[in-house]
Structure formats: structure tokens, C-alpha cells
Amino acid sequence: MQRERIIREIRTRLATARGVTVLTGAGISADSGVPTFRGADGLWRNFRAEDLATPEAFARDPCVVWEWYNWRRELIATKSPNPAHYALVDLEKRFERFWLITQNVDGLHGAAGSQKLSEIHGNIWKVRCTRCGRVDENRELPIAIPPSCAACGGLLRPHIVWFGEALATEDLNRSYEALGRCEVLLIIGTSGIVYPAASFAPVAKAAGAFVVEINLDATPNTQVVDVSLQGRTKDVVPELLP
Ligand code: BV8
Ligand code: ZN
């Protein structure tokens, strides 16, 4: 199906849908200048997320992990939402049932105004005490290393889901509910490699949704979805608004 027909099909589906769910990955923030994890510019200051975004790395040397997160916080603090983020805020207002599931920890969906949102891998602007479990927002640039809890003095960690860690039950439940009840699932800017988000396309398809992928490159999701559009999110996503 050529591009115009695909876009017409998606807009028609959105025009008649009652429930729309969106899953985003690093590709939607790439157009805001936030590096992605994999692919050409996919590096965070020469570290691979799989090496540092783990509880083992933090247990071994919390200061190195915090240095890495400080570098990322400083970089992300200079970035702003792009037209794709704002198009999703617009989309949220148009449907009685809308939910946005993001793998991104950069906080740009919230900054753009998205409210019906699950940040399933956490948020780089939140910290969690390893002793008392308290979660706070923290926007210090840089955060003093090693940061300690104001309530109990315990060591603070980023409130982020690392590799090998379970996602929050509430986020998973909300995500599976949104995937099971939508007529359209839009998958935007993700390489479809990281689980459990990588399994969301088949979950929604099995529940009868029309699944759309918008991404720069083909991914494992490309075989599963109903239609796939290759392009930059900031150009393609606003085109889909009914
Ligand atoms: C868990 C926080 C279990 C860190 C992140 C098989 C089955 C089940 C699990 C596993 C499995 N094999 C391995 C696992 C474990 C692991 C996993 O999936 N590993 C992968 C590598 C195979 N999963 C986990 O560990 C998860 N937990 O399974 O728990 C469990 C259960 C009970 C008890 C204990 C444990 C936790 C996963 C969360 C990891 N944390 N982030 C941090 O960010 O600091 S993941 C990290 O990757 C980021 O969050 C990122 O969002 C995520 C996914 O990456 P993408 O967003 O897709 O980004 P990527 O760069 O890969 O791709 C960008 C895409 O955009 C590209 O395709 C590119 O073409 C495109 N693009 C670029 N520019 C643009 C664009 N598109 C459009 N426009 C553009 N301009
Ligand atoms: Zn504490």
C-alpha cells in the first residue's frame, strides 16, 4: 500500500475509533535531540544502557551510575517536546478512551501536557530511596553524588526500571487494559527489542486492534503490525490527526 493510502486508512480508523492506545520509544524524542539507545546515534556518552542501567552496576558502583545519570539529566534538561509529542496531547483530547504508554524516561510527554500516561520504565527526574522506598521529584543539576534521602539518610537511586527489574504492577495492569480495549494501537519510535513492551503489538492484535507502526527503520514489530510507516515522528505523527 503506498504512503497516501496508508495515511488515509489510519485517519479513517482513528475517525471511527472509540479507544486509542499509543506506545512510544526513544525515536519520538530523537527529534527533540535526545539520543536513542540503539542505531546510529544510539549511545549515551559511550555507555550502553544494558551495561549501566542494571541493579548490579548500581550495587557495584552507585557513583559511576549516578555520574551517567547526571550526564543524561544535564542533556535532557536542555531538550523540549517536539510536534510529535504535542500531536499526542491533541489526540488524547479526541477519544473517550485514550492511553499513552511510554518507554521513555525523559519526561517529555508530561512536559508537552500528556496526562493519560504510563511511564513504564520510570522517569529520570524522579529519585527513590533504597532504604525507605520514598519517591520524590528531583531536578537538581547536577544531583550531589551519592545522593541521600531527606527522610532517612538512605542512598537514593534513579526511579527508573533497570534491566532485570520488574515493571510496576500498576503500570503493567494499566497497559494491558489499554492494549486489550483499543480499536487502534499506534507504536511510535521504538526498536521493539525491550520486553515486555516488545510484546505489546501482538497483545493488541490478538484483542482485535488495528496496529500501526511509525518508525525510521523496520523493526521486529514491522512483521506483526497491520501497517508500517517509515519516517521521522515529528513529520509523520502530526499527519495522522483526524
Ligand atoms: C523485565 C531504563 C522481568 C534505563 C530501560 C525476553 C523476554 C522477557 C524479558 C527479557 C527477554 N530477554 C531479555 C529480557 C530482559 C529485558 C529485555 O527485554 N532485554 C532486551 C535487551 C532483550 N527486559 C527487562 O529487563 C525488563 N524487565 O523483563 O523484568 C522480571 C519480572 C519479574 C521479576 C523480575 C524481572 C525491564 C526493561 C526496562 C529496561 N529499562 N530503560 C534508562 O533509560 O536509563 S530500557 C531502554 O530501552 C529505554 O527505556 C528505552 O526506552 C528502551 C527501549 O528502547 P527504544 O525506546 O525502542 O529505543 P531504541 O533506541 O532501541 O529504538 C529507537 C527507535 O526509534 C529505532 O528503531 C529507530 O529507528 C527509531 N528512530 C530514531 N529516530 C527516529 C526514529 N523513529 C522515528 N523518528 C525518528 N526521528
Ligand atoms: Zn529514605
Side-chain angles (χ1 to χ4, degrees):
M1 246 203 281
Q2 86 285 15
R3 187 181 171 73
E4 289 61 41
R5 273 214 35 222
I6 290 178
I7 290 188
R8 225 177 13 256
E9 164 94 26
I10 297 167
R11 287 161 64 100
T12 308
R13 296 271 181 166
L14 286 175
T16 54
R18 287 195 326 285
V20 172
T21 299
V22 182
L23 168 65
T24 62
I28 197 167
S29 295
D31 284 334
S32 296
V34 179
T36 61
F37 287 84
R38 299 159 191 92
D41 66 345
L43 263 187
W44 283 88
R45 201 181 70 182
N46 306 322
F47 286 112
R48 280 169 20 92
E50 283 79 0
D51 300 333
L52 278 187
T54 69
E56 293 77 21
F58 190 72
R60 191 170 48 246
D61 190 338
C63 295
V64 163
V65 174
W66 265 117
E67 289 294 345
W68 185 53
Y69 277 96
N70 259 337
W71 182 82
R72 291 176 63 191
R73 287 158 59 105
E74 304 256 8
L75 184 120
I76 291 169
T78 65
K79 308 302 180 197
S80 311
N82 66 62
H85 291 103
Y86 289 113
L88 295 183
V89 177
D90 193 331
L91 218 53
E92 174 175 322
K93 299 181 182 108
R94 293 168 184 245
F95 297 96
E96 58 184 279
R97 279 185 286 107
F98 177 93
W99 202 259
L100 170 53
I101 305 164
T102 189
Q103 300 171 89
N104 299 339
V105 300
D106 57 33
L108 290 182
H109 283 302
S114 287
Q115 307 206 323
K116 297 181 174 177
L117 168 67
S118 291
E119 295 178 311
I120 61 170
H121 293 164
N123 184 308
I124 202 162
W125 299 114
K126 289 182 182 170
V127 293
R128 185 170 83 238
C129 178
T130 56
R131 185 183 295 164
C132 72
R134 189 184 142 126
V135 175
D136 286 302
E137 171 140 331
N138 178 300
R139 295 213 173 237
E140 290 168 65
L141 288 176
I143 194 167
I145 293 176
S148 53
C149 173
C152 77
L155 173 65
L156 297 180
R157 60 167 278 176
H159 185 53
I160 279 186
V161 180
W162 284 330
F163 288 97
E165 293 187 319
L167 277 63
T169 310
E170 191 229 339
D171 286 338
L172 280 174
N173 292 343
R174 195 71 199 73
S175 298
Y176 285 117
E177 187 203 347
L179 294 163
R181 291 179 54 200
C182 61
E183 279 81 39
V184 178
L185 169 65
L186 303 178
I187 302 178
I188 302 171
T190 180
S191 59
I193 290 169
V194 174
Y195 285 84
S199 67
F200 286 178
V203 166
K205 254 195 95 50
F210 182 75
V211 185
V212 179
E213 177 184 46
I214 294 138
N215 204 63
L216 210 51
D217 308 311
T219 73
N221 280 324
T222 311
Q223 305 310 322
V224 177
V225 303
D226 293 287
V227 292
S228 184
L229 277 173
Q230 294 206 347
R232 303 197 75 85
T233 53
K234 70 173 172 57
D235 303 327
V236 176
V237 178
E239 263 189 273
L240 303 181
L241 290 185

